[in-house]
Amino acid sequence: METPVLYHWAPCATCSVTSQFADEHGIALDKRDVELEQPYQELLALGGDANLIPYLYAEGQLIQGNDAIITYLTEHFC
């Protein structure tokens, strides 16, 4: 399984919930800050909206929001 990609904004308190959950459970994520142009463009190309971060891209699907991301991570990694 490829490492899931977390699209987030580093200073965002909401995004940190997902990051902390992954860290606490030893789940590796490829964290990409949408403040940078390339991750921002990647997220747009996937159909995401940088105003609605965080997003997790895993197994060809884009998952939006802390609750949905944590549910996915729990089901697949915990």
PDB file of all heavy atoms in Angstrom, residues 35-60:
ATOM      1  N   GLU A  35       0.028  25.471   1.180  1.00  0.00           N
ATOM      2  CA  GLU A  35       0.518  26.845   1.059  1.00  0.00           C
ATOM      3  C   GLU A  35       1.576  26.920  -0.052  1.00  0.00           C
ATOM      4  O   GLU A  35       1.788  27.969  -0.636  1.00  0.00           O
ATOM      5  CB  GLU A  35       1.098  27.338   2.380  1.00  0.00           C
ATOM      6  CG  GLU A  35       1.442  28.810   2.343  1.00  0.00           C
ATOM      7  CD  GLU A  35       1.755  29.382   3.709  1.00  0.00           C
ATOM      8  OE1 GLU A  35       1.755  28.647   4.711  1.00  0.00           O
ATOM      9  OE2 GLU A  35       2.020  30.582   3.751  1.00  0.00           O
ATOM     10  N   LEU A  36       2.191  25.779  -0.349  1.00  0.00           N
ATOM     11  CA  LEU A  36       3.174  25.697  -1.433  1.00  0.00           C
ATOM     12  C   LEU A  36       2.441  25.433  -2.746  1.00  0.00           C
ATOM     13  O   LEU A  36       1.439  24.722  -2.781  1.00  0.00           O
ATOM     14  CB  LEU A  36       4.189  24.596  -1.151  1.00  0.00           C
ATOM     15  CG  LEU A  36       4.959  24.753   0.169  1.00  0.00           C
ATOM     16  CD1 LEU A  36       5.806  23.527   0.427  1.00  0.00           C
ATOM     17  CD2 LEU A  36       5.803  26.016   0.140  1.00  0.00           C
ATOM     18  N   GLU A  37       2.955  25.972  -3.818  1.00  0.00           N
ATOM     19  CA  GLU A  37       2.263  25.929  -5.107  1.00  0.00           C
ATOM     20  C   GLU A  37       2.034  24.506  -5.629  1.00  0.00           C
ATOM     21  O   GLU A  37       0.931  24.183  -6.078  1.00  0.00           O
ATOM     22  CB  GLU A  37       3.042  26.746  -6.144  1.00  0.00           C
ATOM     23  CG  GLU A  37       2.338  26.877  -7.468  1.00  0.00           C
ATOM     24  CD  GLU A  37       1.028  27.667  -7.409  1.00  0.00           C
ATOM     25  OE1 GLU A  37       0.837  28.481  -6.482  1.00  0.00           O
ATOM     26  OE2 GLU A  37       0.186  27.456  -8.291  1.00  0.00           O
ATOM     27  N   GLN A  38       3.059  23.661  -5.595  1.00  0.00           N
ATOM     28  CA  GLN A  38       2.908  22.324  -6.174  1.00  0.00           C
ATOM     29  C   GLN A  38       1.848  21.488  -5.449  1.00  0.00           C
ATOM     30  O   GLN A  38       0.953  20.940  -6.095  1.00  0.00           O
ATOM     31  CB  GLN A  38       4.232  21.576  -6.217  1.00  0.00           C
ATOM     32  CG  GLN A  38       4.091  20.226  -6.904  1.00  0.00           C
ATOM     33  CD  GLN A  38       5.419  19.546  -7.168  1.00  0.00           C
ATOM     34  OE1 GLN A  38       6.466  20.177  -7.093  1.00  0.00           O
ATOM     35  NE2 GLN A  38       5.377  18.271  -7.461  1.00  0.00           N
ATOM     36  N   PRO A  39       1.897  21.380  -4.102  1.00  0.00           N
ATOM     37  CA  PRO A  39       0.831  20.623  -3.429  1.00  0.00           C
ATOM     38  C   PRO A  39      -0.556  21.242  -3.646  1.00  0.00           C
ATOM     39  O   PRO A  39      -1.545  20.521  -3.783  1.00  0.00           O
ATOM     40  CB  PRO A  39       1.223  20.669  -1.949  1.00  0.00           C
ATOM     41  CG  PRO A  39       2.687  20.883  -1.969  1.00  0.00           C
ATOM     42  CD  PRO A  39       2.955  21.749  -3.169  1.00  0.00           C
ATOM     43  N   TYR A  40      -0.608  22.568  -3.696  1.00  0.00           N
ATOM     44  CA  TYR A  40      -1.881  23.253  -3.949  1.00  0.00           C
ATOM     45  C   TYR A  40      -2.439  22.834  -5.310  1.00  0.00           C
ATOM     46  O   TYR A  40      -3.616  22.478  -5.426  1.00  0.00           O
ATOM     47  CB  TYR A  40      -1.675  24.764  -3.874  1.00  0.00           C
ATOM     48  CG  TYR A  40      -2.888  25.564  -4.280  1.00  0.00           C
ATOM     49  CD1 TYR A  40      -3.975  25.694  -3.418  1.00  0.00           C
ATOM     50  CD2 TYR A  40      -2.946  26.197  -5.510  1.00  0.00           C
ATOM     51  CE1 TYR A  40      -5.097  26.422  -3.778  1.00  0.00           C
ATOM     52  CE2 TYR A  40      -4.059  26.929  -5.887  1.00  0.00           C
ATOM     53  CZ  TYR A  40      -5.130  27.041  -5.018  1.00  0.00           C
ATOM     54  OH  TYR A  40      -6.236  27.765  -5.389  1.00  0.00           O
ATOM     55  N   GLN A  41      -1.601  22.845  -6.333  1.00  0.00           N
ATOM     56  CA  GLN A  41      -2.034  22.464  -7.675  1.00  0.00           C
ATOM     57  C   GLN A  41      -2.414  20.986  -7.740  1.00  0.00           C
ATOM     58  O   GLN A  41      -3.362  20.609  -8.435  1.00  0.00           O
ATOM     59  CB  GLN A  41      -0.952  22.798  -8.705  1.00  0.00           C
ATOM     60  CG  GLN A  41      -0.729  24.290  -8.903  1.00  0.00           C
ATOM     61  CD  GLN A  41      -1.969  25.021  -9.391  1.00  0.00           C
ATOM     62  OE1 GLN A  41      -2.801  24.485 -10.122  1.00  0.00           O
ATOM     63  NE2 GLN A  41      -2.117  26.276  -8.964  1.00  0.00           N
ATOM     64  N   GLU A  42      -1.662  20.136  -7.026  1.00  0.00           N
ATOM     65  CA  GLU A  42      -2.004  18.700  -6.977  1.00  0.00           C
ATOM     66  C   GLU A  42      -3.406  18.504  -6.407  1.00  0.00           C
ATOM     67  O   GLU A  42      -4.200  17.734  -6.941  1.00  0.00           O
ATOM     68  CB  GLU A  42      -1.011  17.944  -6.086  1.00  0.00           C
ATOM     69  CG  GLU A  42       0.373  17.789  -6.643  1.00  0.00           C
ATOM     70  CD  GLU A  42       1.323  17.187  -5.617  1.00  0.00           C
ATOM     71  OE1 GLU A  42       0.867  16.687  -4.554  1.00  0.00           O
ATOM     72  OE2 GLU A  42       2.539  17.229  -5.872  1.00  0.00           O
ATOM     73  N   LEU A  43      -3.692  19.191  -5.293  1.00  0.00           N
ATOM     74  CA  LEU A  43      -4.994  19.058  -4.659  1.00  0.00           C
ATOM     75  C   LEU A  43      -6.111  19.521  -5.590  1.00  0.00           C
ATOM     76  O   LEU A  43      -7.130  18.853  -5.723  1.00  0.00           O
ATOM     77  CB  LEU A  43      -5.033  19.847  -3.347  1.00  0.00           C
ATOM     78  CG  LEU A  43      -6.358  19.807  -2.582  1.00  0.00           C
ATOM     79  CD1 LEU A  43      -6.746  18.383  -2.202  1.00  0.00           C
ATOM     80  CD2 LEU A  43      -6.284  20.697  -1.353  1.00  0.00           C
ATOM     81  N   LEU A  44      -5.898  20.643  -6.258  1.00  0.00           N
ATOM     82  CA  LEU A  44      -6.904  21.130  -7.212  1.00  0.00           C
ATOM     83  C   LEU A  44      -7.136  20.115  -8.326  1.00  0.00           C
ATOM     84  O   LEU A  44      -8.275  19.859  -8.711  1.00  0.00           O
ATOM     85  CB  LEU A  44      -6.475  22.465  -7.807  1.00  0.00           C
ATOM     86  CG  LEU A  44      -6.481  23.676  -6.870  1.00  0.00           C
ATOM     87  CD1 LEU A  44      -6.026  24.914  -7.626  1.00  0.00           C
ATOM     88  CD2 LEU A  44      -7.831  23.887  -6.230  1.00  0.00           C
ATOM     89  N   ALA A  45      -6.060  19.532  -8.837  1.00  0.00           N
ATOM     90  CA  ALA A  45      -6.165  18.553  -9.919  1.00  0.00           C
ATOM     91  C   ALA A  45      -6.943  17.310  -9.483  1.00  0.00           C
ATOM     92  O   ALA A  45      -7.611  16.668 -10.298  1.00  0.00           O
ATOM     93  CB  ALA A  45      -4.778  18.162 -10.424  1.00  0.00           C
ATOM     94  N   LEU A  46      -6.881  16.999  -8.195  1.00  0.00           N
ATOM     95  CA  LEU A  46      -7.613  15.844  -7.664  1.00  0.00           C
ATOM     96  C   LEU A  46      -9.077  16.168  -7.376  1.00  0.00           C
ATOM     97  O   LEU A  46      -9.857  15.286  -7.039  1.00  0.00           O
ATOM     98  CB  LEU A  46      -6.942  15.336  -6.380  1.00  0.00           C
ATOM     99  CG  LEU A  46      -5.569  14.705  -6.549  1.00  0.00           C
ATOM    100  CD1 LEU A  46      -4.914  14.490  -5.187  1.00  0.00           C
ATOM    101  CD2 LEU A  46      -5.673  13.397  -7.314  1.00  0.00           C
ATOM    102  N   GLY A  47      -9.439  17.446  -7.482  1.00  0.00           N
ATOM    103  CA  GLY A  47     -10.817  17.850  -7.234  1.00  0.00           C
ATOM    104  C   GLY A  47     -11.046  18.420  -5.853  1.00  0.00           C
ATOM    105  O   GLY A  47     -12.187  18.639  -5.456  1.00  0.00           O
ATOM    106  N   GLY A  48      -9.976  18.655  -5.116  1.00  0.00           N
ATOM    107  CA  GLY A  48     -10.101  19.197  -3.772  1.00  0.00           C
ATOM    108  C   GLY A  48     -10.177  20.712  -3.760  1.00  0.00           C
ATOM    109  O   GLY A  48      -9.927  21.371  -4.768  1.00  0.00           O
ATOM    110  N   ASP A  49     -10.531  21.258  -2.628  1.00  0.00           N
ATOM    111  CA  ASP A  49     -10.643  22.694  -2.413  1.00  0.00           C
ATOM    112  C   ASP A  49      -9.765  23.044  -1.219  1.00  0.00           C
ATOM    113  O   ASP A  49     -10.028  22.587  -0.098  1.00  0.00           O
ATOM    114  CB  ASP A  49     -12.107  23.049  -2.139  1.00  0.00           C
ATOM    115  CG  ASP A  49     -12.339  24.523  -1.881  1.00  0.00           C
ATOM    116  OD1 ASP A  49     -11.375  25.278  -1.623  1.00  0.00           O
ATOM    117  OD2 ASP A  49     -13.507  24.934  -1.916  1.00  0.00           O
ATOM    118  N   ALA A  50      -8.740  23.852  -1.440  1.00  0.00           N
ATOM    119  CA  ALA A  50      -7.792  24.184  -0.370  1.00  0.00           C
ATOM    120  C   ALA A  50      -8.460  24.893   0.803  1.00  0.00           C
ATOM    121  O   ALA A  50      -7.899  24.937   1.894  1.00  0.00           O
ATOM    122  CB  ALA A  50      -6.651  25.028  -0.919  1.00  0.00           C
ATOM    123  N   ASN A  51      -9.648  25.420   0.620  1.00  0.00           N
ATOM    124  CA  ASN A  51     -10.374  26.063   1.715  1.00  0.00           C
ATOM    125  C   ASN A  51     -11.062  25.039   2.623  1.00  0.00           C
ATOM    126  O   ASN A  51     -11.596  25.404   3.667  1.00  0.00           O
ATOM    127  CB  ASN A  51     -11.419  27.039   1.170  1.00  0.00           C
ATOM    128  CG  ASN A  51     -10.779  28.212   0.479  1.00  0.00           C
ATOM    129  OD1 ASN A  51      -9.869  28.836   1.008  1.00  0.00           O
ATOM    130  ND2 ASN A  51     -11.237  28.504  -0.722  1.00  0.00           N
ATOM    131  N   LEU A  52     -11.071  23.773   2.213  1.00  0.00           N
ATOM    132  CA  LEU A  52     -11.746  22.726   2.982  1.00  0.00           C
ATOM    133  C   LEU A  52     -10.783  21.656   3.481  1.00  0.00           C
ATOM    134  O   LEU A  52     -11.169  20.503   3.647  1.00  0.00           O
ATOM    135  CB  LEU A  52     -12.841  22.080   2.122  1.00  0.00           C
ATOM    136  CG  LEU A  52     -13.927  23.020   1.609  1.00  0.00           C
ATOM    137  CD1 LEU A  52     -14.856  22.287   0.656  1.00  0.00           C
ATOM    138  CD2 LEU A  52     -14.707  23.638   2.759  1.00  0.00           C
ATOM    139  N   ILE A  53      -9.530  22.020   3.709  1.00  0.00           N
ATOM    140  CA  ILE A  53      -8.540  21.062   4.173  1.00  0.00           C
ATOM    141  C   ILE A  53      -8.832  20.667   5.608  1.00  0.00           C
ATOM    142  O   ILE A  53      -9.530  21.401   6.311  1.00  0.00           O
ATOM    143  CB  ILE A  53      -7.108  21.631   4.020  1.00  0.00           C
ATOM    144  CG1 ILE A  53      -7.003  22.984   4.710  1.00  0.00           C
ATOM    145  CG2 ILE A  53      -6.694  21.691   2.581  1.00  0.00           C
ATOM    146  CD1 ILE A  53      -5.650  23.578   4.718  1.00  0.00           C
ATOM    147  N   PRO A  54      -8.382  19.513   6.051  1.00  0.00           N
ATOM    148  CA  PRO A  54      -7.453  18.592   5.414  1.00  0.00           C
ATOM    149  C   PRO A  54      -8.141  17.606   4.467  1.00  0.00           C
ATOM    150  O   PRO A  54      -9.334  17.339   4.575  1.00  0.00           O
ATOM    151  CB  PRO A  54      -6.859  17.827   6.598  1.00  0.00           C
ATOM    152  CG  PRO A  54      -7.983  17.765   7.588  1.00  0.00           C
ATOM    153  CD  PRO A  54      -8.702  19.088   7.430  1.00  0.00           C
ATOM    154  N   TYR A  55      -7.326  17.084   3.556  1.00  0.00           N
ATOM    155  CA  TYR A  55      -7.726  16.015   2.647  1.00  0.00           C
ATOM    156  C   TYR A  55      -6.689  14.907   2.748  1.00  0.00           C
ATOM    157  O   TYR A  55      -5.497  15.171   2.924  1.00  0.00           O
ATOM    158  CB  TYR A  55      -7.712  16.478   1.191  1.00  0.00           C
ATOM    159  CG  TYR A  55      -8.894  17.294   0.751  1.00  0.00           C
ATOM    160  CD1 TYR A  55      -8.855  18.674   0.814  1.00  0.00           C
ATOM    161  CD2 TYR A  55     -10.034  16.691   0.231  1.00  0.00           C
ATOM    162  CE1 TYR A  55      -9.931  19.439   0.379  1.00  0.00           C
ATOM    163  CE2 TYR A  55     -11.111  17.446  -0.201  1.00  0.00           C
ATOM    164  CZ  TYR A  55     -11.051  18.817  -0.129  1.00  0.00           C
ATOM    165  OH  TYR A  55     -12.117  19.571  -0.563  1.00  0.00           O
ATOM    166  N   LEU A  56      -7.135  13.687   2.600  1.00  0.00           N
ATOM    167  CA  LEU A  56      -6.237  12.545   2.503  1.00  0.00           C
ATOM    168  C   LEU A  56      -6.471  11.907   1.143  1.00  0.00           C
ATOM    169  O   LEU A  56      -7.613  11.660   0.755  1.00  0.00           O
ATOM    170  CB  LEU A  56      -6.536  11.523   3.608  1.00  0.00           C
ATOM    171  CG  LEU A  56      -5.559  10.353   3.689  1.00  0.00           C
ATOM    172  CD1 LEU A  56      -4.233  10.814   4.287  1.00  0.00           C
ATOM    173  CD2 LEU A  56      -6.147   9.228   4.522  1.00  0.00           C
ATOM    174  N   TYR A  57      -5.382  11.681   0.416  1.00  0.00           N
ATOM    175  CA  TYR A  57      -5.487  10.976  -0.859  1.00  0.00           C
ATOM    176  C   TYR A  57      -4.898   9.590  -0.657  1.00  0.00           C
ATOM    177  O   TYR A  57      -3.719   9.434  -0.330  1.00  0.00           O
ATOM    178  CB  TYR A  57      -4.740  11.723  -1.967  1.00  0.00           C
ATOM    179  CG  TYR A  57      -4.915  11.075  -3.314  1.00  0.00           C
ATOM    180  CD1 TYR A  57      -6.134  11.136  -3.983  1.00  0.00           C
ATOM    181  CD2 TYR A  57      -3.872  10.373  -3.905  1.00  0.00           C
ATOM    182  CE1 TYR A  57      -6.311  10.528  -5.206  1.00  0.00           C
ATOM    183  CE2 TYR A  57      -4.045   9.768  -5.142  1.00  0.00           C
ATOM    184  CZ  TYR A  57      -5.259   9.852  -5.782  1.00  0.00           C
ATOM    185  OH  TYR A  57      -5.445   9.243  -6.995  1.00  0.00           O
ATOM    186  N   ALA A  58      -5.744   8.579  -0.784  1.00  0.00           N
ATOM    187  CA  ALA A  58      -5.315   7.197  -0.555  1.00  0.00           C
ATOM    188  C   ALA A  58      -6.112   6.268  -1.453  1.00  0.00           C
ATOM    189  O   ALA A  58      -7.325   6.438  -1.625  1.00  0.00           O
ATOM    190  CB  ALA A  58      -5.532   6.822   0.913  1.00  0.00           C
ATOM    191  N   GLU A  59      -5.419   5.299  -2.030  1.00  0.00           N
ATOM    192  CA  GLU A  59      -6.051   4.278  -2.872  1.00  0.00           C
ATOM    193  C   GLU A  59      -6.932   4.893  -3.960  1.00  0.00           C
ATOM    194  O   GLU A  59      -8.029   4.404  -4.248  1.00  0.00           O
ATOM    195  CB  GLU A  59      -6.857   3.301  -2.007  1.00  0.00           C
ATOM    196  CG  GLU A  59      -6.006   2.547  -1.003  1.00  0.00           C
ATOM    197  CD  GLU A  59      -6.815   1.570  -0.174  1.00  0.00           C
ATOM    198  OE1 GLU A  59      -7.883   1.108  -0.628  1.00  0.00           O
ATOM    199  OE2 GLU A  59      -6.363   1.257   0.936  1.00  0.00           O
ATOM    200  N   GLY A  60      -6.474   6.000  -4.539  1.00  0.00           N
ATOM    201  CA  GLY A  60      -7.195   6.615  -5.639  1.00  0.00           C
ATOM    202  C   GLY A  60      -8.408   7.423  -5.245  1.00  0.00           C
ATOM    203  O   GLY A  60      -9.181   7.836  -6.094  1.00  0.00           O
TER     204      GLY A  60
END
